[in-house]
Amino acid sequence: MESRKLVPRLYYLALTWLSGRWDVKDEMLLMFAFACAASFALYHLLKRTTNFTFGGRVLAWGLLNALLFCPGQYVNFLWGIQLEPFTPGIVLLFAILANLSDIQLRFKIIVAASLALAATYSFAHGMLVWLLAVPIQWPQKAEPRPQFKAVAPWYAIYGIAAAISIGLYFFHYSRPRLCPEFIVSYKQAGALGGFILRWIGSLFAEHSSDAFLLGLLVTTAFSMLALLGLKSSWQDGDWRTLYPWLVLEAYGLMSGGVTAAGRLGLSRYAGMASKYAPVKVFCYVAVTGLAFSVYSKLSAQQRILSRAANFYTGAAVGILAMAWVSAFSRELPILKTIREERKRLALAVQWIPAIPDNPELKLGIAPPARIVDRAKSLSQYDLLRPRFVGERLVNQVEREPPSADSSAGALQTAFFNDYGKLLMTGTAQVPNQRKKPDCVVVGYVTEGHRLTPFAVFRPKFERLERKERFRVADFPSDGFAVAIEASNLPKGALVLRAWSIDMAQQTGFPLAGSINIHNGSTDPSNY
């Protein structure tokens, strides 16, 4: 493991202790709460670095939020573990706010050191916060500049704390076996630079060339805005308005550099993965915030931008807006797919007592065997959510369903397609309630009128636009047509039966009909 994740583990333990359960939805909710905290910090940064009216500030805040909660982040909000790379950037925002405040230096030291420590032991690049959050004692107009002898001990304490924290981080540290060696060489400067630009641009761009160009646009815009802002601050002596955005952009670029050095050995495109979005988003937030700050300074100085500057600014904003809209239209279908896969995985985990070899468990990040072991361990302490199905229900679905009428529905067709998927159709409902069941369990009959469950699914229609795929002409309201990954089915002739499940009652209702199939042939005419 590349990161020492002490702080995130404390989050998880605290969530489990408070809720009495282990549920990834709690982590997802916590990540969203952290993002809202970051939004809160951005509003106050705007308040301290611009002279906008309340309405203008709210509009600028809305634009920053459009970047903070951009489409590239949508998928990450469904992974509670993405709270870990998100934490250092959020911590840095609050360290910047503390540095902009008028509190005494010793309190700034304590706040900055505490936040940097939390960032360091949340994710690897959190160590950058020690450098970027160095407390600053801003000179007051009515007060003399503090003498070096007065502040040196406090900075020494901060430096010692940083050295101890980072030193302990690398104490007995060993690089993960699957991670490539760090690449830090001037001979690879071009490749590293290209990696960083693609890393930045891939937040909104899908293709490598588009990501490279967008990353180049963002870094160029930052460079021009920084030069313009520094020139303006040199004239009016106000450096506070630029400080937050310059530090935040430095964090983004330095994180991209660390990622490039650590991942270039895998591929020059490795940085385009969506898992890096919680870090790279701060590059865009910083550039946009810097633009607001510079505009505010120029307005206060009654300076007017040239036509060329206005043109380039409008073009950059237009390109970023189009990239945002394009990413939004691209990410929404992906989001729906991932949500559906999560529901299927949750259902597979819930039915582990009956179907421990369910192929749907492969939808998780961890190997299925590890998922089964972890789920059983959590269930022993009643921490797993959703809980395993009850033993009585497991025993029921492991029996061959009795001969049944069609009050609960019927299993109608089943055949393998050319890709080895088992396509099944039928109807299912909860008798006397006129509602669909929570799920349907399908198994194959064995000796002694036993049933071996091999699949569980929610009764619905998949891909309505392709009716011929399932060979049905109409879809009744209580019907289903699903494609099942049936790699856990034994070879040979099998007889399939099914149960309609009502989770509220923890009971099953037998579906009428049985289907004879032969696993090992993909010719549906044999069945």
Side-chain angles (χ1 to χ4, degrees), residues 46-165:
L46 283 172
K47 192 173 181 180
R48 297 187 181 196
T49 60
T50 65
N51 56 9
F52 294 160
T53 63
F54 176 75
R57 192 184 311 125
V58 169
L59 177 60
W61 182 50
L63 293 175
L64 291 180
N65 279 320
L67 296 172
L68 184 66
F69 296 91
C70 68
Q73 285 275 68
Y74 294 169
V75 170
N76 291 307
F77 282 118
L78 294 180
W79 293 95
I81 196 173
Q82 286 300 88
L83 174 64
E84 296 169 7
F86 206 16
T87 299
I90 298 172
V91 162
L92 181 59
L93 284 174
F94 283 93
I96 291 171
L97 279 176
N99 278 345
L100 286 174
S101 69
D102 294 328
I103 61 176
Q104 296 180 8
L105 180 64
R106 61 175 177 272
F107 295 122
K108 289 184 179 182
I109 294 285
I110 294 171
V111 170
S114 301
L115 293 174
L117 181 65
T120 300
Y121 289 92
S122 292
F123 208 70
H125 59 249
M127 286 181 280
L128 295 172
V129 177
W130 285 105
L131 174 64
L132 298 172
V134 172
I136 300 174
Q137 187 70 14
W138 302 95
Q140 302 292 330
K141 293 182 179 180
E143 298 178 4
R145 184 183 296 272
Q147 294 183 357
F148 175 77
K149 291 183 179 180
V151 299
W154 291 106
Y155 282 112
I157 291 172
Y158 184 83
I160 293 171
I164 293 174
S165 172

Side-chain angles (χ1 to χ4, degrees), residues 145-373:
R145 184 183 296 272
Q147 294 183 357
F148 175 77
K149 291 183 179 180
V151 299
W154 291 106
Y155 282 112
I157 291 172
Y158 184 83
I160 293 171
I164 293 174
S165 172
I166 297 173
L168 289 176
Y169 184 97
F170 288 104
F171 185 68
H172 285 313
Y173 176 84
S174 58
R175 182 176 55 86
R177 182 169 48 87
L178 298 178
C179 293
E181 294 283 350
F182 254 57
I183 297 177
V184 183
S185 170
Y186 70 91
K187 295 180 180 180
Q188 295 286 343
L192 290 169
F195 188 104
I196 294 172
L197 293 179
R198 279 187 291 270
W199 180 82
I200 295 171
S202 59
L203 182 64
F204 293 105
E206 182 179 15
H207 303 292
S208 173
S209 57
D210 296 337
F212 181 89
L213 292 174
L214 185 57
L216 184 62
L217 172 67
V218 172
T219 52
T220 302
F222 169 73
S223 300
M224 296 178 66
L225 286 168
L227 288 173
L228 189 59
L230 290 172
K231 182 179 178 181
S232 178
S233 293
W234 185 267
Q235 294 175 355
D236 62 15
D238 181 12
W239 300 97
R240 289 195 188 193
T241 54
L242 300 182
Y243 160 75
W245 314 114
L246 295 178
V247 169
L248 206 58
E249 185 68 21
Y251 165 75
L253 292 176
M254 292 170 72
S255 297
V258 172
T259 304
R263 292 294 181 265
L264 185 59
L266 293 176
S267 166
R268 59 178 180 170
Y269 308 113
M272 296 183 65
S274 61
K275 64 181 180 180
Y276 298 112
V279 183
K280 65 183 78 170
V281 70
F282 289 103
C283 291
Y284 291 82
V285 169
V287 171
T288 307
L290 182 60
F292 291 142
S293 178
V294 170
Y295 175 79
S296 178
K297 288 175 70 69
L298 295 179
S299 298
Q301 296 172 1
Q302 297 183 345
R303 294 175 59 185
I304 301 175
L305 293 175
S306 65
R307 290 183 178 179
N310 286 325
F311 172 78
Y312 292 134
T313 301
V317 171
I319 292 172
L320 184 58
M322 288 189 293
W324 194 100
V325 172
S326 175
F328 181 78
S329 61
R330 185 177 65 250
E331 291 293 333
L332 273 188
I334 297 175
L335 190 65
K336 293 178 181 178
T337 300
I338 292 178
R339 288 186 61 192
E340 180 58 32
E341 289 179 351
R342 293 294 183 79
K343 291 179 181 178
R344 288 161 52 193
L345 178 59
L347 187 63
V349 170
Q350 194 173 13
W351 280 88
I352 282 175
I355 317 174
D357 58 349
N358 193 333
E360 295 279 77
L361 292 173
K362 296 177 182 178
L363 293 172
I365 296 178
R370 186 183 302 173
I371 292 176
V372 172
D373 290 341

Side-chain angles (χ1 to χ4, degrees), residues 497-514:
R497 297 296 305 276
W499 290 90
S500 170
I501 306 297
D502 183 0
M503 295 300 295
Q505 301 181 48
Q506 283 286 295
T507 189
F509 303 94
L511 296 186
S514 62

Side-chain angles (χ1 to χ4, degrees), residues 440-483:
V440 172
V441 173
V442 183
Y444 55 90
V445 179
T446 58
E447 295 181 358
H449 299 286
R450 303 294 295 174
L451 191 74
T452 301
F454 68 90
V456 57
F457 58 86
R458 289 183 173 83
K460 64 176 185 176
F461 294 109
E462 293 184 354
R463 299 188 183 182
L464 298 180
E465 71 278 4
R466 298 181 61 184
K467 295 183 180 181
E468 73 280 358
R469 181 187 184 200
F470 295 99
R471 302 178 183 179
V472 292
D474 189 24
F475 291 134
S477 59
D478 61 347
F480 62 83
V482 296

